[in-house]
Structures are given as C-alpha cells and as structure tokens.
Amino acid sequence: MLGDDELHVQIRSDADVVLARQEGRRFASRLEFSSSDLTVISAAISEIARSILEYARTGDMHIKLAEKNGRVGIVVVARDEGPGIRDVELAMQDGYSTSGGLGLGLPGARRLMDEFELRSEVGRGTTVTMRKWAR
Amino acid sequence: MLVPILRQGPYLIASIQSALTDADLLRLRDDLVEQVGRYRSRGVIVDVTVLDVMDSFAVRTISSLAQMIKLRGAETLLVGIQPEVAFTMVQLGLALTGVATALDLEEGLSYLDERDKGGERVGGR
Amino acid sequence: MPQRIAVQANVQPTADLLSELVAHLGQNRTQLREEWARRITESVLLTAMTKDEIFAEATSVYDNYVEVLETGSVEALQAYARNLSERIIPRGVETHEVVGIVLLLRDVLARSLFKKYQADFGLLNRVLDAYEPAANRIANTVAVGFVQERERIIRQQQEAIRELSTPVLQVRERLLILPIIGIVDSQRARQLTEQLLRGIRSNRAKVVVMDITGVPSVDSTVANHLVQTVEASRLLGATVIVTGLSPEIAQTLVTIGVDLTKMNTVGDLQGGIEEAERLLGYDVTSTGRLAAAHGDRE
C-alpha cells in the first residue's frame, strides 16, 4: 500500500479513515513539515476520507509528493464515484451538511490546506485535490 | 480498539490508548453514558493524550458525549489535548465549547476535586 | 566574391574574437580600471565605500570579468559576487548601485572596444556581437548574486525578528505573559499561537495574560486570530486574559461586529496580572485550606 513516492488507500470503512490519516501523516513526515503541519494534514485527510465514506460509501485516496516553483509538498487526490454534489458552492459553506453531521468536512479541509480544488459531476462522482507546501 | 474505563472514587476515567475509529468512539460514548448511571459517578475524564489528531467526527462525538453525561447528572472533562491538535481543532472551527478541559489527568482530577468542594475554578472553562 | 568573404567573416569563431578581446582588456587593465572607478565615483554610486575600497573591489570584479570572458565559466564570478554582497550589504549598499556599477563597466569596456576597432566597422560589429552576450551574462550573474544574498539576509532577519517578537514569559508559577508588539498577520498569529501552546504545556500554565498594547491595529482578521489563540489555549486548560485594548481598537471591534464575548478582557497589563493572580490565588488558599484540613485531622 505504501509505495516509495505514492500512497494509495482505498476507503471502504471507518477503519480506512484512520489508516488513511495515519499513513498520510507518515508519508508527509519525510518532508520538512512542522508537527503542527503534520497534524493539519492528517486532519484534512481524515475529513475528506470521511466525506467519501458518508456520501459515496467507497472511494480512493492517492497521496503523492508535489513540486512547484522550487517548493515541495504533498498532494492528496480523493476520488469517488458517488452521487456527486449538486451545489458545490453550498457544500463548501461552513455548517452545511446533508448527512446530519457538523458539515465541517469540506470547508474545514479547505481551511487547513494551502490549495483545495473540488470537482463534482452529479451521478458520476467527486474529486478533491488538495496540496500543502513544506516551509 | 476497546477504551478501558477506570473507576476512581466518584469519577470515571477513560484513557484512550490508540487511534480510534468512528465505531470505537461511539462505543466509548455509549459505555460512558451507561456507566455514569450505574456507578452514580459525578465526573467523567476522557484522556486524549495519545491522539495525534481530532477531526470533526471525534469532536462532535465528544460534544454529544458531554451533553448526554450532563443529562445524567455528571460533568465531562477532556484532558491531554496536544498543542498541535488544539491548534488544528480551532482552525477547523471546532472549539469544543461547553466541554471543560484540563492540561492532563492530574489537573483534571484536581479540577473535579475542587469543584466537588464547591470552590470557584480556574482555567479550562 | 564578396559573398564568400561575408560567409568567412560570419564563421570566424567567436572564441578567436573573445581571446582578442581578453588580450585587449589585459593590456589596458590599469587604464580601464581607473576609468571605471572614476565613473563610479562620478555617478555617486557605492557612496558607503572609500575611494581605495572602490578601486580594490573594482580590480577584483574586473579580473573576474576578464576571466569569465576567457573561460566562459561564471562560477568564480558567482562566488566572488556572493562574497562581495555579503561584505557590502551590511554597509547599506543598494541593489541599484550594484546593477549600476556593472552596467558602467560594460559601458567603459564597450567604449574602449569602439575606440580600438572604429576603423574597421565590420570587425567592430563582430567583436561587439561576441562581447554583448558575455557581458550580459556577467551583469546578470552579479546582479542576481547580490539580490539572492539580500533575500537570504532578509529571510534570516525575519526569522530572528519573529522569534524575538513573541516572548512567552513566565512571571510566576502557572502564569504566563505574552506581550504582543507590532503588526500581527496570519503567519505571525500562527507562530505566536504555536509558541504559546507549547509554553502552556511546558510551564503547566493555567492563566495567560495576553497584552496587545503594542499592536497598532486590529481588524477582523487579527481579531479572529486572537480568538483562535484564546480558544486553543482553553483546549489545553488555560484561561487567557486579554489586556491593552485601546479605545480605538475597542471602537473598531464593536463597529465591525467582531464577537469578543468569548474573550476575558481587562483594561491594562497590571489589571490583567491582578486578575490572573486572583484566579490563581484561589489555588493558593485552597491548598492552605487543604493543609488546615490535614491539621484538623491530626
């Protein structure tokens, strides 16, 4: 599951949410992230993995090293083939949730990471791509 | 992963030993809510020292745990939150309002002792 | 046949022209250096340096310059530019001065070439064609070296200032004081919060007095950061008392509608410390009471 420069975790149960954030943290710890940053990355992965579980039941998470303008970091790509999100803007608002939760998952993860991008197609699925740069 | 729940005088102490799944957390909540009545406990301490992250589900579950325990006549105290975890929680917008906190188990126990003596308290509110 | 001559001229290797150029610069080393140093003084550049210093540096740059033309390698020049920057930046030499002197040298040399080859316009053109790209590369190397060194120093200073600007002080057991001075942006707020949280844990602090008398302005972003700092501290079991909110800041906050009800505020630092001691003082009396209880039992 843990390759050298890429990590793949299948999300099918709540145990996979724990696995994804633990492995993701371990993967990120090879870069120069502070311990706060590692916790932040771990929390963001957890939120996104759980939203896959809640809305699509299953999905995949890929974590890779990223590079841009001489900076290094990690990129997390989470993909599912669930129902998709009808109103992306609404889903990104604090407190909005269709599953009765706190509705902090997506906007929370966006606040924690440096870059966050969400693409969704109704009936086809959702892809979240997020990045965090090491200092 | 089962969370051991210890009885110390009028208090229950749940000390989390490793990362918990959502199901583990819900079970901890149910166990505590049940035992607080069975042992007529006055306070519950949840020790999260080993957790290296608390996401929205964990915080939501602990908030509801605290509310349920309050309805059963006891107070919940969360102890051992790591600095990085606290920092991440507030960034996520999860300030855990309504749940008392203390630095660690020792502080938590002295807080509950103070409270039971009817004193004014310091910190963590 | 003119066609053929032109072709021949075009294929005359740049290397040959460059070595001719190097020979010319070598022969006229003294005169060109003096001319350059004179032009630097005339243009009021490198004013932080003495005449002798300027001449000494001009000599080094000149020799390095010739070496680049000769070998085509900028490594030695790069190292020299870094070294020079390191020495002159603390003396207040500005970027425009460094760029200015390199452009002056380029001009001095081009003029001397013009003078030497003005009789043969074709040859002059070819010499300049060989000279220009090399000269540009040299100017670029020196300027970039200077700017990079400057940025490195600025980054270093920023780090140092940040560390210095947020001291977490323990004034008595379980009481920390965090005087915040200067502008608070997102990055600083984050660093300040991390430092405070570590301080709370390592000192087992129960009360923190956060004094913002020295913060010139508080907008909604700063206010939200401060609220987050207070919330995060509470998660570690510590109460934060905020002091030093000036009348202007209080007005701003109320006007923009920042919710500060979660914040425990006291007028000034002294009042904040008194309040903190009152909160902590209860611990002291309760310990006393505990001791008394033990005494009763005995």
Side-chain angles (χ1 to χ4, degrees), chain A residues 52-68:
Chain A
I52 290 180
L53 205 60
E54 279 177 13
Y55 297 103
R57 293 181 178 277
T58 62
D60 291 273
M61 207 165 223
H62 291 267
I63 303 174
K64 286 176 279 194
L65 296 177
E67 217 183 320
K68 191 167 83 180

Side-chain angles (χ1 to χ4, degrees), chain C residues 114-127:
Chain C
F114 195 78
K115 213 163 131 191
K116 179 173 178 183
Y117 297 109
Q118 60 185 344
D120 184 345
F121 203 69
L123 183 58
L124 173 66
N125 261 335
R126 291 197 299 281
V127 169

